Amino acid sequence: MLDAIPNAEQMTALIGKPFYDVWNQLCATIDEKYDMDRLWEKGGKAWTYEYKYRRGGKTLCALYAREGCIGFMVILGKDERVKFEEDRESYSPKVQRIYDETKTYHDGKWMMFEPTDTSLFDDFIRLLRIKRKPNRK
C-alpha cells in the first residue's frame, strides 16, 4: 500500500506538466465511460506509482507514473485476445505493434503503452471495451 496519495504538485514534479496533462485527460476519458474503484499503490520496481481501475475484484486497467514518463496497461486474457485479433486492423499500427511485441503469459498479454499525447485514447477505450462494457452513459 501507498503511504500517501500524490497530489497534483508531486505528480507534476515527477512526470512533468505535459505528461500530467495527458494523465489527467486519460483519467477523465476512462472516468467518463466507467464507474470504477480507483486505487493508488506503489509502482513496483519500474514505476513510482500505480493507479488501478477495479471493480468486483477485477482490474480494468492501470496507469503508472515515474520520472518523466507515464504508462497505461491493459491485460487481455485469452478470450479478449481473440476479440482483439478479430478486429486488429481497425487499431492504429502502434497498438498492433505493441500487441505483437507483448509476450503472452498464462494469464494474458500485459500490454504496456507509454502515451506522450492523446492520440491513442480512442484505441485505449476500445481495448477497455473488450474487457468490460462501459457502465456510464
Side-chain angles (χ1 to χ4, degrees):
M1 273 320 265
L2 201 58
D3 296 334
I5 293 171
N7 62 30
E9 285 153 18
Q10 291 166 318
M11 285 294 287
T12 303
L14 178 67
I15 61 179
K17 176 90 172 86
F19 285 140
Y20 189 56
D21 291 343
V22 173
W23 172 285
N24 282 328
Q25 288 172 353
L26 182 52
C27 290
T29 301
I30 297 167
D31 290 340
E32 189 181 299
K33 308 264 186 231
Y34 293 94
D35 179 19
M36 307 289 282
D37 297 325
R38 296 184 293 284
L39 307 168
W40 282 96
E41 296 183 6
K42 289 184 175 147
K45 291 181 184 145
W47 300 90
T48 307
Y49 298 115
E50 176 185 64
Y51 185 62
K52 271 190 200 165
Y53 282 83
R54 286 179 66 93
R55 181 136 190 184
K58 289 192 166 190
T59 299
L60 177 69
C61 63
L63 279 68
Y64 294 87
R66 68 175 177 230
E67 194 170 331
C69 185
I70 61 174
F72 173 76
M73 180 181 281
V74 179
I75 301 168
L76 296 183
K78 189 175 182 182
D79 295 342
E80 296 158 345
R81 293 197 316 274
V82 169
K83 288 180 186 171
F84 175 85
E85 287 168 12
E86 286 170 353
D87 197 30
R88 71 173 286 139
E89 297 305 319
S90 67
Y91 288 85
S92 70
K94 183 166 188 173
V95 170
Q96 292 181 46
R97 181 177 52 79
I98 287 174
Y99 178 86
D100 292 340
E101 291 172 358
T102 298
K103 185 177 176 184
T104 303
Y105 294 96
H106 72 281
D107 59 350
K109 271 191 183 276
W110 296 48
M111 297 173 62
M112 176 63 84
F113 299 88
E114 292 184 4
T116 55
D117 56 35
T118 62
S119 63
L120 294 177
F121 283 13
D122 287 346
D123 279 357
F124 291 172
I125 292 298
R126 289 179 48 228
L127 288 169
L128 296 181
R129 270 199 194 108
I130 290 174
K131 294 187 65 65
R132 184 183 193 118
K133 286 188 173 77
N135 57 2
R136 281 205 166 132
K137 295 279 184 254

